[in-house]
Structures are given as structure tokens and as C-alpha cells.
Amino acid sequence: AQKITQTQPGMFVQEKEAVTLDCTYDTSDPSYGLFWYKQPSSGEMIFLIYQGSYDQQNATEGRYSLNFQKARKSANLVISASQLGDSAMYFCAMREPSGSARQLTFGSGTQLTVLP
Amino acid sequence: GAGVSQTPSNKVTEKGKYVELRCDPISGHTALYWYRQSLGQGPEFLIYFQGTGAADDSGLPNDRFFAVRPEGSVSTLKIQRTERGDSAVYLCASSKLAGAYNEQFFGPGTRLTVL
């Protein structure tokens, strides 16, 4: 079963508008971490934002916020005031501490295109 | 400070050849990860080092793949008898620790093409 599901292969947004990228996850661990990474065409993975499963408030980092709905097992990324430089691939990822490697498990990504 | 570096940035090889991919993590980071990213997919875990030892190699697809980190810093991913299906971007990441939360810093990746 997929641990991280991103159902939007591609999204378009007008510059200066807000956009929400969907992510649902599956885990039986009560303690886990959720991450969003941005991957521009250059290929490097850029960390954007983190949400811990026990965090009471939704995480925010500048124009990025995470809409964390624990009961629904969703962790959607909201980008406000989109900029042309936001055009990139966006990956949702999860870490479960019960795994020995504590590796990240990634979704298949969403390609975001910001239109001028 | 310097980020994670990977060399080479691109590697083209022929089927059946041996390749080595190098990762130089951020100084002081004890945890090191290798991931493989196929076209249009998210990265997939290959192997994890804590210090010098491979703490978890459960993601390695088969015994043609091997990785070392002899001094607890630089790591080398080795692929024997390469196959066309090995073509992908190989990403390395490092973090200070492998705790419940820690940000993994990724390198730019090595794009491997097997002809």
C-alpha cells in the first residue's frame, strides 16, 4: 500500500494566487514526521516545511503553510502569493521513527506551474 | 557552509560496466542516506549509514549494489554489472542525527545513464 499519496500529477496557478497541493499518508505509528520538499528543474531537493504528528498547530514557514488534518491523515501544502520561481516539482514525505533507518518515504510528486 | 556534494553530476556508462558514485556530506553530519529517483517518481530509499556502518541497507535492489563509508564521512555507492534499468538520479542526503525529526539535506544528485 502507498504510504504517501499525491493525487495531483500537475497543477497550475496564476501568479500571486494561493495554491494547495494535496498529500495523504498512511501509518500506524502514533509518532511521525511529515515533510515537504521542492525540486526545481536543477534537481536538488529543497526542504520547505515540517509537521510533527504531535504538533498542536499547523506549521508555517513564510509563504508556506501546512494544513494538517490528523484524523483524515492529510498534510496539504499551501503556498500563498505564488511566484514564478515556485514552478517546480513538490514532494510530500514521511518519516516513521519505528523504522531503523528513519528514512523518508516520498510521494510521487506534484508538478506546479505558476502562470504569469 | 558547504552543502552536500555529489560527484560526478552526470555519468554515462555501458551495460555491464562498473560505476562508483561519490557523496560528500555536510561536515559533522553522522547520518547519511542514499536514494534513487527514477523519472517522474519520488526518491526511493536505498541505504542508510550511521557513522561508518550501514545501519540499514534494506532498500538496495539487489547484490549488484553496494555502498561504503569507511571513515564516517564520504560515502561511495558502487554498482556492478550495470543494467539499463539502473538509469536514474542517485541522491545523497545527510543529517546531524537520525532522530524522530531531523531535516535531511540533499545533494544535487548524480544522473546515471546506462546505455
Side-chain angles (χ1 to χ4, degrees), chain A residues 12-28:
Chain A
F12 292 88
V13 64
Q14 208 68 39
E15 194 178 7
K16 298 180 186 177
E17 297 289 315
V19 64
T20 298
L21 307 183
D22 294 342
C23 173
T24 58
Y25 59 92
D26 183 26
T27 180
S28 56

Side-chain angles (χ1 to χ4, degrees), chain B residues 36-104:
Chain B
R36 179 168 71 173
Q37 186 176 21
S38 300
L39 193 63
Q41 299 295 319
E44 292 179 317
F45 168 73
L46 293 177
I47 187 169
Y48 153 64
F49 288 89
Q50 181 59 46
T52 59
D56 188 330
D57 63 358
S58 61
L60 295 178
N62 51 60
D63 61 6
R64 295 186 297 104
F65 289 74
F66 188 71
V68 296
R69 194 186 185 199
E71 297 178 359
S73 179
V74 170
S75 176
T76 304
L77 178 66
K78 308 180 180 193
I79 310 174
Q80 298 177 321
R81 305 183 304 280
T82 51
E83 300 177 357
R84 292 194 179 90
D86 298 335
S87 295
V89 175
Y90 290 81
L91 294 166
C92 176
S94 71
S95 62
K96 282 187 180 180
L97 296 169
Y101 162 71
N102 70 85
E103 179 186 343
Q104 291 186 13

Side-chain angles (χ1 to χ4, degrees), chain A residues 20-92:
Chain A
T20 298
L21 307 183
D22 294 342
C23 173
T24 58
Y25 59 92
D26 183 26
T27 180
S28 56
D29 264 312
S31 176
Y32 50 89
L34 297 160
F35 300 76
W36 277 91
Y37 281 84
K38 172 184 178 181
Q39 188 175 43
S41 55
S42 59
E44 65 179 299
M45 298 285 283
I46 303 168
F47 167 75
L48 296 178
I49 196 167
Y50 163 80
Q51 180 83 44
S53 59
Y54 292 122
D55 292 344
Q56 294 297 312
Q57 293 190 331
N58 287 346
T60 60
E61 286 287 346
R63 294 187 299 111
Y64 304 108
S65 60
L66 205 152
N67 183 1
F68 181 46
Q69 298 187 42
K70 196 169 181 177
R72 293 186 176 185
K73 293 189 175 178
S74 76
N76 298 340
L77 176 70
V78 180
I79 305 175
S80 62
S82 297
Q83 302 172 356
L84 295 177
D86 294 335
S87 293
M89 196 74 165
Y90 288 80
F91 290 98
C92 179

